[in-house]
Amino acid sequence: MDVKTNTDIYEKLHALARDLWWAWQPEVVSIFRDLNPIKFQQLGHNPVMLLKEFTRQELENRATELMLHSRVNWAYRRWQEYLKSDETWGATHTGLLGNQPVAYFSAEFGIHESLPNYSGGLGVLSGDHLKSASDLGVPLVAVGLLYQEGYFHQTVDAQGRQQESYQRIDTDHLPVELVRTAEGDEKIIAVQTRGGDIFARIWKVKVGRVLLLLLDTHLPQNTDENQRLTDRLYGGDQLKRIRQELLLGVGGARALQAMEIRPSVVHMNEGHSAFAPLEYIRQLMHEDGRTYDDAIRDVSAMSVFTTHTPVPAGHDRFDASLIEEHLGPLGDMIGLDHNGLMGLGRVDPQNPEEPFCMTVLAFKLSQCANAVSNLHGVVSRRMWSHLWPWKNEKEIPVGHITNGVHVPTWLSAQMRMLYDRVLPEGWSTRTGEPEVWSGFEKVLPGELWETHQSLKNRLIQYARVNASAQAKRRGEKPDQIERLQSALDARVLTIGFARRFAPYKRADLILRDLSEFRRIILDAERPVQFIFAGKSHPADENGKAILQRIFKLMQTPEFNGRVIFLEDYDINLARHLVQGVDVWLNNPRRPLEASGTSGQKVVLNGGLNCSILDGWWAEAFDGENGFAIGEGRSHANHDIQDDRDAIALHDVLVNEIIPLYYDRDDDDLPQAWIGRMKRAVRTLGWRFNADRMVMDYVQSTYIPAAGGTSCDLNSVH
Ligand SMILES: *Cc1c(COP(=O)(O)O)cnc(C)c1O
């Protein structure tokens, strides 16, 4: 064995582990897993931690034992080629950005379960955006915060009450690296407030070709209170919230400046980062000697804002004293007095009663704004029309780009093999083209069905192991633990429901008629089983009550392992669920689900959506590529709407879904069902993926914003 190879394997594996590119390469994931499957799982699929278990010599021995050398060399070479390649979509479509990247600001990034810097859909969407930008070769640098404790971990006690706990992360265990000065010191940025400066250091994370910068205030020069600023995501009061947002927007822009990165476009993913344009106004005035009027015009021309929710509580509002304390110093630097500042965050600048709203600020400081689905565009234009009182609703300058998911992240390895066989060569670099997906029609029904069944079995196995271990931990009776060890049945129609337990998502809609629910579950010939998961925000008592109600069904012996609740919904659990269910249930109170993305992950893997015609599904459903609950109506009275939707849900289940699923041919294949699976992949795959989404952002927003031309979204709606 020559020494050079020894060095190589060790260095190469460590290098691969420190670029999150590995997370969407199944071949690289399997190298890490093979090194020690049990440890890899125990360590939350974190290869940086896994590799710490091995000395150089041990790693070499293990690699030899498993004959890993050629796999590692291959992976490493592919990675190098990926990083170097100039034959990307971006190379031919982003020339107008010049050499200046897009700066993408987001409060959370969900890239992989081993970097717990996200709470839910918004974070996973940001993560998928970065991965697609990387794959497409779109020059983009992302900015966020590094939370020492991330979002909470969920357990549920024996009474069904959600318990929250926080785990401190150790940056030594993450693929992060400090940004340093030429002298080797930590690079520190500062943001002024009336009460003193807030300092932060900058961590770099590699996400393929994309650089992600995360700020962290855990520094001795900060007050104790400010040191805790970046401990938790969405875990504080208004004071902490505005400081986090100040850090994200102003601090983030300063971090880029400190690294001499001058963006061509500022993309605010949700209003949390809406202070960023104010800092860019300051930079233009102070460094380039521009007037305020020139600076605000140029900064809004280069700013893109994506709004993500029609739920009123989803829009941050701050009172005047918080704004004065935190934005006063920046206002002084750009010549805005208190009223001038407040005016930017108010619909009516003159109204002293109006609090400062981050969404209003973002709209006022960006020439280009978008919602995240067609229907959400309609709702957002109505919701914010008072910002443009001189325009009629159709002219409100808020377009839409529908969310999509990153295909290599969410597509199972088994299903990918099917894609490789029936889609044209190179399909994975052309996922935005409808023709590429039409090849899926060629899949043989039996093959598709058995692939799906194997994924479903994997999910059931996973659910049994975890549900029974969780029951054991909460001290449940042996017969209940035993029941969970053999819960669920691969022959039974399996419906998944996993998302945040926010009341508008109505996890309990199916329980509105409990006796019907019981009848459906326990039907002797055509039974149904459910797997639920999801966290409720710690302060959301209504959400927790819904969770408790669902949870108690699992403890009801009568349901005999046909209703399962799995704790601590995260990216890993999401992957198992979206890859293994037959049906994905989504029943929000229309029109409150701006887009939703989990159902798109299900599509890729052959599952069928059963959803209210809200968010992405309102534009996706064509009558045969899944199932619709109701006809897309809303009602001012929640009770009436909920009753009506519960009946519609029951109807579609009993009259369409269950009969179709159990209608088998002589080979025990549900041919009509399989037809729908194929149709779903073919008609939805090309549209609801993140490559298409990022290409839309580039062409309709980034390029116009960088070129100072008006953004193209108005034609989209
Ligand atoms: C995809 C995903 C979400 C978003 O789901 P919705 O459909 O928007 O509710 C939330 N959490 C996790 C862990 C996800 O993977």
Side-chain angles (χ1 to χ4, degrees):
M1 190 63 51
D2 86 38
V3 182
K4 183 159 178 310
T5 327
N6 290 358
T7 334
D8 279 355
I9 271 291
Y10 183 87
E11 305 295 344
K12 283 176 181 168
L13 281 171
H14 277 265
L16 283 167
R18 303 195 73 84
D19 182 337
L20 284 158
W21 175 81
W22 72 263
W24 69 96
Q25 314 303 319
E27 302 84 2
V28 191
V29 176
S30 71
I31 291 173
F32 290 131
R33 177 174 299 118
D34 289 352
L35 283 172
N36 187 338
I38 294 171
K39 263 265 137 50
F40 191 54
Q41 195 198 334
Q42 281 170 352
L43 297 174
H45 304 148
N46 181 336
V48 173
M49 283 173 86
L50 179 80
L51 291 176
K52 284 189 195 297
E53 304 273 319
F54 294 88
T55 63
R56 190 177 284 264
Q57 191 56 52
E58 284 164 356
L59 198 58
E60 174 57 32
N61 295 346
R62 186 76 181 135
T64 305
E65 186 187 346
L66 296 169
M67 301 208 286
L68 281 183
H69 288 87
S70 60
R71 283 165 68 196
V72 174
N73 287 337
W74 182 78
Y76 189 84
R77 202 178 288 276
R78 248 186 9 102
W79 177 52
Q80 291 295 308
E81 280 166 3
Y82 177 90
L83 294 180
K84 278 203 308 270
S85 171
D86 46 19
E87 286 173 19
T88 60
W89 180 87
T92 48
H93 290 81
T94 62
L96 290 168
L97 302 180
N99 290 323
Q100 298 171 266
V102 173
Y104 180 88
F105 288 77
S106 183
E108 40 174 318
F109 289 94
I111 299 165
H112 185 258
E113 58 266 27
S114 62
L115 184 60
N117 222 41
Y118 64 95
S119 78
L122 183 71
V124 174
L125 181 83
S126 310
D128 281 3
H129 195 103
L130 303 194
K131 291 169 185 171
S132 275
S134 171
D135 289 346
L136 292 167
V138 173
L140 184 140
V141 47
V143 183
L145 305 180
L146 182 68
Y147 304 96
Q148 275 85 46
E149 299 181 351
Y151 198 55
F152 73 91
H153 286 280
Q154 176 197 55
T155 54
V156 181
D157 71 13
Q159 282 71 47
R161 290 175 304 216
Q162 169 175 295
Q163 310 291 317
E164 295 111 27
S165 62
Y166 292 86
Q167 261 168 32
R168 275 196 97 72
I169 53 153
D170 181 343
T171 46
D172 283 347
H173 295 162
L174 296 179
V176 300
E177 191 190 329
L178 273 175
V179 174
R180 296 185 181 275
T181 64
E183 292 75 43
D185 302 323
E186 290 181 4
K187 199 164 254 195
I188 305 284
I189 58 110
V191 180
Q192 294 73 41
T193 74
R194 293 281 185 235
D197 288 2
I198 302 172
F199 301 96
R201 57 187 164 182
I202 313 166
W203 297 92
K204 275 193 291 202
V205 186
K206 290 187 204 145
V207 188
R209 300 186 181 105
V210 164
L211 178 65
L212 166 61
L213 303 176
L214 297 174
L215 304 184
D216 148 31
T217 59
H218 202 66
L219 290 170
Q221 53 270 55
N222 277 325
T223 62
D224 287 354
E225 187 181 29
N226 285 339
Q227 290 193 29
R228 289 191 300 271
L229 208 53
T230 51
D231 59 357
R232 294 176 184 180
L233 180 54
Y234 308 140
D237 55 9
Q238 288 289 93
L239 177 71
K240 186 163 178 178
R241 184 83 165 203
I242 194 172
R243 286 194 188 168
Q244 286 187 334
E245 297 186 354
L246 183 70
L247 190 67
L248 175 62
V250 178
R254 290 206 178 145
L256 291 173
Q257 187 187 35
M259 296 174 68
E260 291 168 24
I261 297 172
R262 213 176 158 143
S264 53
V265 175
V266 174
H267 185 174
M268 292 166 269
N269 187 46
E270 189 50 297
H272 306 122
S273 53
F275 293 136
L278 292 174
E279 164 61 11
Y280 280 108
I281 291 172
R282 184 196 70 81
Q283 291 184 14
L284 280 188
M285 291 173 70
H286 284 234
E287 261 111 75
D288 298 2
R290 310 291 279 282
T291 64
Y292 174 77
D293 288 341
D294 279 354
I296 193 170
R297 193 197 57 226
D298 288 359
V299 168
S300 40
M302 71 185 281
S303 296
V304 176
F305 168 51
T306 304
T307 180
H308 281 273
T309 181
V311 178
H315 300 267
D316 285 310
R317 291 185 164 80
F318 299 114
D319 66 31
S321 65
L322 282 175
I323 293 296
E324 179 55 30
E325 180 183 345
H326 297 94
L327 272 298
L330 186 57
D332 294 345
M333 290 182 239
I334 61 177
L336 271 185
D337 65 10
H338 178 70
N339 286 331
L341 274 174
M342 289 300 294
L344 288 174
R346 284 176 174 148
V347 176
D348 173 5
Q350 310 305 333
N351 178 2
E353 305 298 314
E354 214 185 301
F356 185 100
C357 174
M358 295 300 279
T359 309
V360 172
L361 178 68
F363 276 125
K364 289 194 177 182
L365 294 182
S366 56
Q367 229 170 62
C368 195
N370 71 286
V372 291
S373 72
N374 180 50
L375 178 60
H376 181 225
V378 174
V379 172
S380 298
R381 286 189 286 281
R382 189 171 313 145
M383 184 170 172
W384 299 102
S385 60
H386 49 307
L387 270 171
W388 296 271
W390 59 92
K391 289 183 189 273
N392 71 37
E393 211 169 283
K394 284 207 165 60
E395 297 167 342
I396 300 298
V398 182
H400 80 273
I401 292 177
T402 304
N403 287 342
V405 296
H406 184 245
V407 176
T409 295
W410 297 104
L411 180 64
S412 61
Q414 291 89 327
M415 202 56 84
R416 175 200 276 252
M417 290 197 291
L418 277 192
Y419 282 34
D420 282 343
R421 264 215 307 290
V422 298
L423 303 192
E425 202 174 330
W427 66 266
S428 67
T429 58
R430 298 166 51 204
T431 53
E433 302 171 26
E435 311 80 69
V436 168
W437 294 78
S438 59
F440 202 73
E441 207 43 51
K442 295 197 294 262
V443 162
L444 298 174
E447 195 175 14
L448 177 57
W449 186 248
E450 295 312 334
T451 303
H452 168 67
Q453 280 301 114
S454 81
L455 288 161
K456 183 171 170 182
N457 275 298
R458 209 174 67 116
L459 167 62
I460 290 175
Q461 195 54 33
Y462 178 89
R464 286 175 177 173
V465 168
N466 286 283
S468 57
Q470 289 161 14
K472 197 163 174 182
R473 193 215 57 240
R474 64 178 83 95
E476 300 205 24
K477 295 201 193 76
D479 62 332
Q480 165 71 349
I481 295 166
E482 219 167 277
R483 194 161 43 234
L484 292 172
Q485 278 164 348
S486 57
L488 306 170
D489 179 337
R491 290 162 306 180
V492 172
L493 171 61
T494 303
I495 301 182
F497 182 103
R499 40 186 43 88
R500 286 182 301 119
F501 270 55
Y504 82 85
K505 299 211 184 212
R506 301 187 298 187
D508 56 350
L509 188 72
I510 184 99
L511 306 181
R512 251 176 127 78
D513 184 340
L514 203 54
S515 63
E516 267 303 303
F517 178 73
R518 180 178 293 118
R519 208 191 55 66
I520 290 171
I521 297 272
L522 300 177
D523 189 279
E525 249 111 71
R526 304 185 305 181
V528 177
Q529 58 197 8
F530 280 86
I531 309 178
F532 289 92
K535 298 175 178 178
S536 194
H537 187 278
D540 180 3
E541 294 306 325
N542 292 329
K544 289 181 182 179
I546 294 171
L547 193 156
Q548 183 171 35
R549 201 162 164 228
I550 301 276
F551 179 88
K552 292 213 156 163
L553 299 173
M554 174 164 67
Q555 292 176 318
T556 313
E558 183 193 4
F559 286 125
N560 204 20
R562 292 237 172 100
V563 181
I564 300 292
F565 180 91
L566 295 171
E567 295 175 345
D568 211 26
Y569 185 44
D570 71 348
I571 288 178
N572 181 40
L573 175 49
R575 211 168 30 234
H576 281 91
L577 286 167
V578 301
Q579 294 178 354
V581 295
D582 297 310
V583 170
W584 192 247
L585 178 61
N586 178 42
N587 49 35
R589 195 175 287 131
R590 188 182 190 269
L592 295 182
E593 190 64 272
S595 168
T597 53
S598 52
Q600 303 170 348
K601 304 165 191 169
V602 170
V603 164
L604 297 175
N605 293 290
L608 293 180
N609 279 268
C610 168
S611 172
I612 295 277
L613 290 166
D614 195 12
W616 77 285
W617 195 239
E619 69 200 74
F621 180 61
D622 71 358
E624 291 171 64
N625 54 7
F627 305 95
I629 305 167
E631 280 141 14
R633 290 195 295 164
S634 304
H635 199 286
N637 181 320
H638 285 175
D639 257 343
I640 295 177
Q641 188 171 348
D642 293 356
D643 275 337
R644 194 155 71 190
D645 289 346
I647 291 168
L649 168 56
H650 177 261
D651 283 353
V652 70
L653 255 180
V654 170
N655 300 329
E656 292 190 54
I657 297 178
I658 297 173
L660 203 65
Y661 183 83
Y662 285 107
D663 177 18
R664 303 302 169 98
D665 69 5
D666 295 340
D667 285 333
D668 199 28
L669 291 177
Q671 291 289 354
W673 186 278
I674 295 169
R676 273 194 200 225
M677 291 166 73
K678 284 163 70 166
R679 188 177 176 90
V681 174
R682 191 161 54 76
T683 60
L684 303 172
W686 67 272
R687 279 174 75 193
F688 300 100
N689 72 73
D691 282 5
R692 189 275 311 150
M693 172 181 77
V694 170
M695 290 191 282
D696 280 353
Y697 274 105
V698 169
Q699 291 178 317
S700 303
T701 72
Y702 296 164
I703 287 184
T709 57
S710 71
C711 101
D712 232 6
L713 281 164
N714 296 342
S715 56
V716 175
H717 72 254

